[in-house]
CSV table of all heavy atoms in Angstrom, one decimal:
chain,number,residue,atom,x,y,z
A,1138,GLY,N,189.4,278.8,258.0
A,1138,GLY,CA,188.0,278.3,257.7
A,1138,GLY,C,187.8,278.1,256.2
A,1138,GLY,O,187.2,277.2,255.8
A,1139,GLU,N,188.5,278.9,255.4
A,1139,GLU,CA,188.3,278.8,253.9
A,1139,GLU,C,188.9,277.4,253.4
A,1139,GLU,O,188.4,276.8,252.5
A,1139,GLU,CB,189.1,279.9,253.2
A,1139,GLU,CG,188.3,281.3,253.4
A,1139,GLU,CD,189.2,282.5,252.8
A,1139,GLU,OE1,190.3,282.1,252.3
A,1139,GLU,OE2,188.7,283.6,252.9
A,1140,LEU,N,190.1,277.1,254.1
A,1140,LEU,CA,190.8,275.8,253.7
A,1140,LEU,C,190.3,274.7,254.4
A,1140,LEU,O,190.4,273.5,253.8
A,1140,LEU,CB,192.3,276.0,253.9
A,1140,LEU,CG,193.0,276.9,252.9
A,1140,LEU,CD1,194.5,277.2,253.3
A,1140,LEU,CD2,193.0,276.3,251.5
A,1141,MET,N,189.9,274.8,255.6
A,1141,MET,CA,189.6,273.6,256.5
A,1141,MET,C,188.1,273.5,256.9
A,1141,MET,O,187.8,272.6,257.8
A,1141,MET,CB,190.5,273.7,257.8
A,1141,MET,CG,191.9,273.9,257.6
A,1141,MET,SD,192.7,272.4,257.1
A,1141,MET,CE,192.7,271.4,258.6
A,1142,GLY,N,187.2,274.1,256.0
A,1142,GLY,CA,185.8,274.0,256.5
A,1142,GLY,C,185.2,272.8,255.9
A,1142,GLY,O,184.0,272.4,256.4
A,1143,MET,N,185.8,272.0,255.0
A,1143,MET,CA,185.1,270.6,254.5
A,1143,MET,C,186.1,269.5,255.0
A,1143,MET,O,187.3,269.6,254.8
A,1143,MET,CB,185.1,270.8,253.1
A,1143,MET,CG,184.4,269.5,252.5
A,1143,MET,SD,182.6,269.5,252.7
A,1143,MET,CE,182.1,270.9,251.6
A,1144,GLU,N,185.4,268.6,255.8
A,1144,GLU,CA,186.2,267.4,256.2
A,1144,GLU,C,185.7,266.3,255.4
A,1144,GLU,O,184.5,266.0,255.1
A,1144,GLU,CB,186.0,267.1,257.7
A,1144,GLU,CG,186.7,268.2,258.5
A,1144,GLU,CD,186.6,268.0,260.0
A,1144,GLU,OE1,185.9,267.0,260.5
A,1144,GLU,OE2,187.4,268.8,260.7
A,1145,THR,N,186.6,265.5,254.9
A,1145,THR,CA,186.3,264.4,253.8
A,1145,THR,C,186.8,263.0,254.4
A,1145,THR,O,187.8,263.0,255.1
A,1145,THR,CB,186.9,264.8,252.6
A,1145,THR,OG1,188.3,265.0,252.7
A,1145,THR,CG2,186.3,266.0,251.9
A,1146,PHE,N,186.0,262.0,253.9
A,1146,PHE,CA,186.2,260.7,254.4
A,1146,PHE,C,186.0,259.6,253.4
A,1146,PHE,O,185.3,259.9,252.3
A,1146,PHE,CB,185.3,260.4,255.5
A,1146,PHE,CG,185.4,261.3,256.6
A,1146,PHE,CD1,184.5,262.6,256.6
A,1146,PHE,CD2,186.2,261.1,257.7
A,1146,PHE,CE1,184.7,263.5,257.7
A,1146,PHE,CE2,186.3,262.1,258.8
A,1146,PHE,CZ,185.5,263.2,258.7
A,1147,LEU,N,186.6,258.5,253.4
A,1147,LEU,CA,186.3,257.4,252.5
A,1147,LEU,C,185.5,256.3,253.4
A,1147,LEU,O,185.9,255.9,254.5
A,1147,LEU,CB,187.6,256.7,252.2
A,1147,LEU,CG,187.4,255.4,251.4
A,1147,LEU,CD1,186.8,255.7,250.0
A,1147,LEU,CD2,188.7,254.6,251.1
A,1148,ARG,N,184.2,256.1,253.1
A,1148,ARG,CA,183.4,255.1,253.7
A,1148,ARG,C,183.8,253.7,253.4
A,1148,ARG,O,183.8,253.4,252.2
A,1148,ARG,CB,181.9,255.3,253.4
A,1148,ARG,CG,180.9,254.7,254.3
A,1148,ARG,CD,179.5,255.0,254.0
A,1148,ARG,NE,179.1,254.3,252.8
A,1148,ARG,CZ,177.9,254.5,252.0
A,1148,ARG,NH1,177.2,255.6,252.5
A,1148,ARG,NH2,177.6,253.8,251.0
A,1149,VAL,N,184.1,252.9,254.3
A,1149,VAL,CA,184.6,251.5,254.0
A,1149,VAL,C,183.6,250.5,254.6
A,1149,VAL,O,183.8,249.3,254.3
A,1149,VAL,CB,186.0,251.3,254.6
A,1149,VAL,CG1,187.0,252.2,253.8
A,1149,VAL,CG2,186.1,251.6,256.1
A,1150,GLN,N,182.7,250.9,255.5
A,1150,GLN,CA,181.7,249.9,256.1
A,1150,GLN,C,180.4,250.7,256.2
A,1150,GLN,O,180.4,251.8,256.8
A,1150,GLN,CB,182.1,249.3,257.3
A,1150,GLN,CG,181.1,248.3,257.9
A,1150,GLN,CD,181.7,247.6,259.2
A,1150,GLN,OE1,182.7,246.9,259.1
A,1150,GLN,NE2,181.0,247.8,260.3
A,1151,ASP,N,179.3,250.1,255.7
A,1151,ASP,CA,178.1,250.8,255.7
A,1151,ASP,C,176.8,249.8,255.8
A,1151,ASP,O,176.5,249.1,254.8
A,1151,ASP,CB,177.9,251.7,254.6
A,1151,ASP,CG,176.5,252.3,254.5
A,1151,ASP,OD1,176.0,252.6,255.6
A,1151,ASP,OD2,175.9,252.3,253.3
A,1152,PRO,N,176.1,249.7,256.9
A,1152,PRO,CA,175.0,248.8,257.0
A,1152,PRO,C,173.8,249.4,256.6
A,1152,PRO,O,172.7,248.8,256.4
A,1152,PRO,CB,174.9,248.5,258.5
A,1152,PRO,CG,175.5,249.8,259.2
A,1152,PRO,CD,176.5,250.3,258.2
A,1153,THR,N,173.8,250.7,256.1
A,1153,THR,CA,172.5,251.4,255.8
A,1153,THR,C,172.2,251.4,254.3
A,1153,THR,O,171.1,251.7,253.9
A,1153,THR,CB,172.7,252.9,256.2
A,1153,THR,OG1,173.5,253.6,255.4
A,1153,THR,CG2,173.1,253.1,257.6
A,1154,GLY,N,173.3,251.2,253.4
A,1154,GLY,CA,173.0,251.3,251.9
A,1154,GLY,C,172.8,252.6,251.5
A,1154,GLY,O,172.3,252.7,250.2
A,1155,THR,N,173.2,253.6,252.2
A,1155,THR,CA,173.0,255.1,251.6
A,1155,THR,C,174.0,255.3,250.4
A,1155,THR,O,175.1,254.8,250.5
A,1155,THR,CB,173.4,256.0,252.8
A,1155,THR,OG1,172.6,255.7,254.0
A,1155,THR,CG2,173.2,257.5,252.4
A,1156,ALA,N,173.4,255.9,249.5
A,1156,ALA,CA,174.1,256.3,248.3
A,1156,ALA,C,175.3,257.3,248.6
A,1156,ALA,O,175.3,258.1,249.5
A,1156,ALA,CB,173.2,256.9,247.2
A,1157,VAL,N,176.3,257.1,247.8
A,1157,VAL,CA,177.5,258.1,247.9
A,1157,VAL,C,177.5,258.8,246.6
A,1157,VAL,O,177.1,258.2,245.5
A,1157,VAL,CB,178.9,257.3,248.1
A,1157,VAL,CG1,178.9,256.7,249.5
A,1157,VAL,CG2,179.1,256.2,247.2
Side-chain angles (χ1 to χ4, degrees):
E1139 293 172 0
L1140 284 171
M1141 301 289 284
M1143 184 72 71
E1144 292 186 351
T1145 50
F1146 305 86
L1147 179 67
R1148 193 179 76 191
V1149 295
Q1150 178 174 301
D1151 171 42
T1153 72
T1155 303
V1157 293

